[in-house]
Amino acid sequence: MSARQMKLGAFLWATGHHIAAWRHPQAHVTAGVDIDHYVHLARTAEAAKFDMLFCEDAAGVREANANIASQTSRSIGFEPISLLAALAVQTSHIGLVSTASTSYNEPYGLARTFLSLDHLSNGRAGWNLVTSASPIEAANFGSTGLRPHADRYERAREFAAVVTALWHGKLDGASGLGHDGQNFSVRDPLDLPCSPQGAPVMVQAGASDAGRDLAARTADVVFTAAQTLEEAKAFYDDLKGRLAAYGREPDDIKIMPGIAPIVAATEAEARAKHEELQELIPDDVGVALLSSYLSISDLWRYPIDGPLPELPASEGMQSRQALVIEQSRRDNLSIRELARHFAGARGHWRIVGTPAQIADELQARFEGGAADGFNVMPSYFPGELDTFAALVVPDLQRRGLFRTDYQGSTLREHLGLKRPM
Amino acid sequence: MRGSNDRRNGATMCLAVSLFPGEAPFEVPMSARPDFSLLARFVQKAEAAGLDMVLLADSAPGGGASNRQVPFEATTLLAALATVTNKIGLVAAASTVAHQPYNLARRFASLDVISHGRAGWNATMAQDPREAANFSRPEGFSRDDFRRHAEEFIGIVQGLWRGWDPDALLFDQHGGRFFDPEKMHLLDHKGEFFSVRGPLNVARSPQDAPVLVLSGLSEPDMDIGARVADVILLDEPSVAGAKADDVKRRAVAFGRGPGAIKVLMNVAPGADMAARPDVIADRLEESFRSKSCDGFNMLMPPVLSVLDDFVDRVLPELRRRGLVHPDYRNATLRSHLGLAGEERQ
């Protein structure tokens, strides 16, 4: 098969990506304390020939308000590097990508830990670089406040350069190749043998200008959130266009937008499934999320079945605020309806439909120059990953758009990435 | 809580195996580097023999590639080993210089959930002089700074491990309450080196908290050990007895029970294990009966034949003498070591 085929990531997140997933009867409610659940998910994704498992991460709880947090499942879960190290020896082919922050780690330790994961998995590890924008995380690391965006990216650039130099065996103080920079100093090479795949795969997700530039310089894979084909294509063209400046070719980066599918045999069943999930969103949680989108704090004062009140203009997130207000007026939605709408999808590309409808949409973006693959975000686990693997993957395979078996053994081979020099 | 035929205050000795410590009595040639499957067989063999725990050393970064005996970092190796074993305790070394306390607490809390309550953290009070240079501290720490830094670090980690009450998670799908917000506690630590708000985003340990194993203690570290350690590893046999008594006395002074700390003596059994198992057993029995320690940490290379010598020759002799418990009683590392909750004050 020489035709270009799409890459697929299985984005694992506790009980599921839908904010109310944990309340669904077919979700595994104890996912965050059950390693066997994750072994099942990993094997399901591997049997379906996914390129990789992907774990999000934050070094802190997600929601500061304990009352709101206690109505979601996201305050506890496995730390992803230990989780993926456990899964590494329970799987044989699938890639293992974990997020880790450049703001709250040191490059020597991070490079060493991911290289160890790479050895445990025989060349299947990847690192998703994030700079961490949450003040909840910052408070766990002695900061008096979050670092400004520009500083975070400056640190991330230096961090990524040191990690890459360590992985490529190009850092050694004894030969005058130590690192003594603005944020970090490192003297010795890593004390582990070099990677079975040349170097672990570098993944990134930042969509800002600084984020795109850093990705163009260092990333092998980029995850994005894009609602429409036009939006996805604009991002795709922009990022691929930045590569030449760093001496790289367009195919050196794989761009994989996130997709939050809800799949069922018929469209009516898929819609019912979606509705069932939306009904499970606790009002407090929905209103809290909607409030954060609108950058206001007192939305709970208004009747939940009434319309959105007139809102003063605010500084933060103006485009998203306008989008919410416009939708509430256009569709005549109550606060509750609006909250459910936004809390459920969280700004990701939601497709509700049959396997063929989902495959059509993926094909259109893949062939339309808007994606090299997709990071699949099942609404609840294990049910919706099982469904995607059983119904959508075979459809994509029949169309010749996705592999029917692994051709290589490392993550770099799955993704069609060059081995670093 | 050990077997009825015990001859020393109802206790049998704790037995640990320490893999690839820096001062290992054996050299493993580079060409014979063990892969994961060999390490898995090694730990499975230790588990089949009923040993309490395996300690995974972590080479000091900066030691240079030639010093490494395995291609793995200890906490990731522990996670992998947890999935191929069921009973044996798994303890990984991790440095207080190389990590942030929140990240380290989280990693080990997660390892403890992955292993169903069999994880431990080995922290050392002995600073590796080369390490700081790779972690953006080229000036290093003074001896005193290192001690205060480590003590504060350990306190934060242990505090974060207990931030969620054991019954905090409700999983109430119908009522819409995942956890009881009253049972989640912020740490709000503000100290000399760190400030950490918490809480940890990992559930409470199945064994209350991961086991803290302290090593590399010098005299000024003894109070720290007595206050926070679950297990202390001691090196010099000549003074170990006095040190063990001392640290237990101090623990009682800090309001802990006399059984709250287990003192293990590091032993490099050497090549005479196979030839003279009775001599090794005599030596261990003497140390144990003179109450200079609660058990032993056998320093070994990850070579199956060396473990075989201990497990097949020395261990049966110790067992025959009633010095070793016959099997695991419970599931967690804390219970293996006799450190389960009821023995704590």
Side-chain angles (χ1 to χ4, degrees):
Chain A
M1 175 65 65
S2 59
R4 175 173 168 260
Q5 292 190 320
M6 62 175 69
K7 314 300 171 195
L8 288 180
F11 186 163
L12 306 184
W13 199 2
T15 50
H17 285 272
H18 193 280
I19 188 78
W22 72 276
R23 302 187 65 192
H24 193 278
Q26 282 162 38
H28 189 61
V29 69
T30 59
V33 293
D34 184 358
I35 186 67
D36 294 338
H37 167 74
Y38 278 93
V39 172
H40 169 80
L41 299 183
R43 289 180 175 164
T44 300
E46 185 166 79
K49 316 302 176 193
F50 274 77
D51 290 82
M52 63 182 119
L53 302 174
F54 173 68
C55 292
E56 174 54 291
D57 188 46
V61 293
R62 304 273 172 171
E63 166 65 57
N65 179 320
N67 175 48
I68 301 293
S70 72
Q71 298 177 68
T72 78
S73 66
R74 298 199 169 138
S75 293
I76 63 109
F78 292 97
E79 180 274 331
I81 294 173
S82 46
L83 174 64
L84 291 180
L87 297 180
V89 296
Q90 296 295 322
T91 53
S92 59
H93 281 80
I94 195 161
L96 307 162
V97 177
S98 175
T99 301
S101 170
T102 54
S103 294
Y104 308 124
N105 286 287
E106 283 283 321
Y108 194 93
L110 184 138
R112 188 165 178 264
T113 304
F114 275 90
L115 188 53
S116 178
L117 180 62
D118 210 30
H119 282 290
L120 282 168
S121 62
N122 296 313
R124 295 184 283 131
W127 167 40
N128 177 41
L129 178 160
V130 295
T131 63
S132 302
S134 151
I136 300 177
E137 293 179 82
N140 290 327
F141 296 88
S143 314
T144 47
L146 207 55
R147 285 193 191 88
H149 188 266
D151 291 3
R152 290 207 312 274
Y153 269 92
E154 183 47 47
R155 182 180 160 104
R157 262 190 296 279
E158 187 183 338
F159 195 115
V162 175
V163 168
T164 310
L166 286 166
W167 282 343
H168 294 179
K170 290 178 179 157
L171 191 154
D172 185 357
S175 319
L177 294 172
H179 178 86
D180 187 9
Q182 194 71 30
N183 299 284
F184 308 107
S185 65
V186 177
R187 191 181 58 194
D188 298 303
L190 290 176
D191 54 350
L192 307 182
C194 65
S195 158
Q197 57 176 338
V201 169
M202 291 273 274
V203 183
Q204 244 185 270
S208 67
D209 194 58
R212 291 180 195 204
D213 232 45
L214 182 58
R217 192 193 292 244
T218 60
D220 300 307
V221 175
V222 172
F223 293 146
T224 79
Q227 293 281 353
T228 64
L229 187 132
E230 293 67 35
E231 217 180 294
K233 185 160 174 44
F235 178 86
Y236 189 94
D237 291 341
D238 176 84
L239 189 56
K240 298 258 176 174
R242 292 175 191 239
L243 293 175
Y246 299 103
R248 305 180 70 195
E249 290 165 26
D251 214 29
D252 289 348
I253 276 195
K254 307 298 171 186
I255 298 177
M256 301 175 64
I259 166 191
I262 296 201
V263 199
T266 68
E267 193 177 335
E269 282 174 65
R271 300 221 165 275
K273 201 189 247 188
H274 184 226
E275 208 37 53
E276 186 186 4
L277 272 167
Q278 295 292 81
E279 289 288 326
L280 293 173
I281 300 172
D283 289 336
D284 284 357
V285 174
V287 172
L289 278 167
L290 185 60
S291 301
S292 73
Y293 286 171
L294 292 167
S295 306
I296 58 167
S297 56
D298 63 348
L299 196 57
W300 56 271
R301 292 177 191 280
Y302 297 90
I304 193 162
D305 289 312
L308 205 59
E310 291 299 325
L311 297 169
S314 86
E315 287 294 313
M317 301 252 184
Q318 292 187 356
S319 62
R320 191 151 64 170
Q321 187 183 36
L323 186 87
V324 174
I325 294 169
E326 187 194 309
Q327 182 149 11
S328 80
R329 304 288 181 248
R330 189 185 63 219
D331 299 340
N332 197 22
L333 298 176
S334 68
I335 289 176
R336 189 199 313 266
E337 288 164 333
L338 204 57
R340 283 186 180 164
H341 179 80
F342 281 92
R346 293 188 303 123
H348 288 283
W349 182 32
R350 161 83 74 220
I351 321 178
V352 182
T354 64
Q357 285 173 322
I358 303 231
D360 285 348
E361 296 261 10
L362 296 182
Q363 182 167 9
R365 292 203 182 187
F366 178 66
E367 292 177 347
D372 296 310
F374 303 94
N375 203 17
V376 180
M377 305 163 65
S379 296
Y380 53 86
F381 290 111
E384 283 289 276
L385 179 65
D386 292 344
T387 308
F388 191 92
L391 300 179
V392 182
V393 168
D395 200 316
L396 294 170
Q397 287 168 333
R398 273 193 298 277
R399 300 177 192 210
L401 291 169
F402 189 59
R403 69 170 69 83
T404 52
D405 203 356
Y406 293 108
Q407 301 301 310
S409 64
T410 69
L411 177 54
R412 245 170 228 289
E413 287 167 348
H414 301 338
L415 294 170
L417 292 167
K418 288 178 197 147
R419 210 181 153 91
M421 290 299 147
Chain B
M1 295 298 292
R2 299 290 172 97
S4 55
N5 57 345
D6 298 341
R7 302 182 200 173
R8 176 180 169 269
N9 302 332
T12 47
M13 55 175 71
C14 300
L15 284 176
V17 170
S18 192
L19 277 180
F20 36 87
E23 65 278 22
F26 304 84
E27 272 302 313
V28 179
M30 288 286 283
S31 57
R33 271 189 174 179
D35 60 5
F36 176 74
S37 63
L38 186 137
L39 292 172
R41 286 204 302 282
F42 187 100
V43 176
Q44 286 161 348
K45 170 102 193 177
E47 179 172 80
L51 302 187
D52 292 303
M53 59 182 172
V54 172
L55 283 88
L56 308 169
D58 202 52
S59 85
S66 59
N67 287 5
R68 279 303 286 183
Q69 297 184 44
V70 294
F72 309 118
E73 175 274 343
T75 63
T76 42
L77 176 58
L78 194 162
L81 288 170
T83 70
V84 297
T85 52
N86 297 304
K87 297 278 193 180
I88 195 164
L90 299 166
V91 177
S95 150
T96 53
V97 171
H99 297 85
Q100 283 280 335
Y102 190 90
N103 293 340
L104 183 138
R106 216 179 144 216
R107 176 76 48 79
F108 279 91
S110 183
L111 292 171
D112 214 18
V113 178
I114 290 170
S115 65
H116 303 287
R118 298 184 287 129
W121 170 36
N122 178 197
T124 181
M125 298 303 295
Q127 182 179 190
D128 184 307
R130 296 181 55 118
E131 188 174 45
N134 292 317
F135 289 87
S136 307
R137 288 180 180 270
E139 71 288 358
F141 288 94
S142 72
R143 184 74 195 103
D144 262 11
D145 282 356
F146 180 84
R147 177 178 304 113
R148 290 201 318 283
H149 180 269
E151 182 177 16
E152 187 180 337
F153 191 116
I154 291 167
I156 293 166
V157 168
Q158 290 189 318
L160 288 169
W161 281 342
R162 294 182 166 88
W164 293 85
D165 292 347
D167 56 352
L169 299 184
L170 304 172
F171 303 119
D172 178 3
Q173 288 174 297
H174 186 71
R177 238 358 125 178
F178 191 81
F179 67 84
D180 181 346
E182 301 290 315
K183 294 181 176 176
M184 180 199 85
H185 310 285
L186 297 181
L187 184 68
D188 269 333
H189 171 90
K190 287 189 178 61
E192 181 185 359
F193 298 95
F194 305 102
S195 75
V196 180
R197 187 192 288 158
L200 213 55
N201 53 0
V202 181
R204 182 65 176 261
S205 159
Q207 58 172 339
D208 187 46
V211 169
L212 176 67
V213 178
L214 270 192
S215 56
L217 285 83
S218 58
E219 187 51 39
D221 303 318
M222 283 302 170
D223 266 352
I224 301 173
R227 268 193 314 105
V228 303
D230 296 307
V231 175
I232 289 179
L233 303 179
L234 294 179
D235 280 317
E236 318 98 276
S238 55
V239 294
K243 275 192 174 176
D245 282 348
D246 175 49
V247 83
K248 291 194 174 193
R249 244 193 328 271
R250 294 191 204 206
V252 172
F254 285 122
R256 303 180 73 191
I261 299 182
K262 302 297 174 189
V263 177
L264 270 56
M265 204 187 295
N266 287 331
V267 181
D272 50 347
M273 272 195 306
R276 305 295 311 277
D278 51 326
V279 174
I280 307 265
D282 287 348
R283 219 189 296 156
L284 299 181
E285 180 171 7
E286 190 189 328
S287 291
F288 182 64
R289 288 196 189 284
S290 68
K291 299 191 183 179
S292 61
C293 65
D294 298 297
F296 302 93
N297 176 34
M298 320 296 291
L299 309 180
M300 280 186 197
V303 173
L304 275 171
S305 63
V306 178
L307 180 63
D308 285 346
D309 286 343
F310 181 73
V311 163
D312 298 338
R313 310 279 309 204
V314 181
L315 196 59
E317 183 60 29
L318 294 173
R319 199 160 269 148
R320 198 182 56 74
R321 301 180 190 190
L323 293 166
V324 177
H325 59 100
D327 200 1
Y328 299 107
R329 303 288 163 86
N330 277 304
T332 68
L333 176 55
R334 242 168 232 289
S335 65
H336 300 342
L337 296 170
L339 291 168
E342 72 272 12
E343 296 190 35
R344 305 291 292 265
Q345 288 196 338

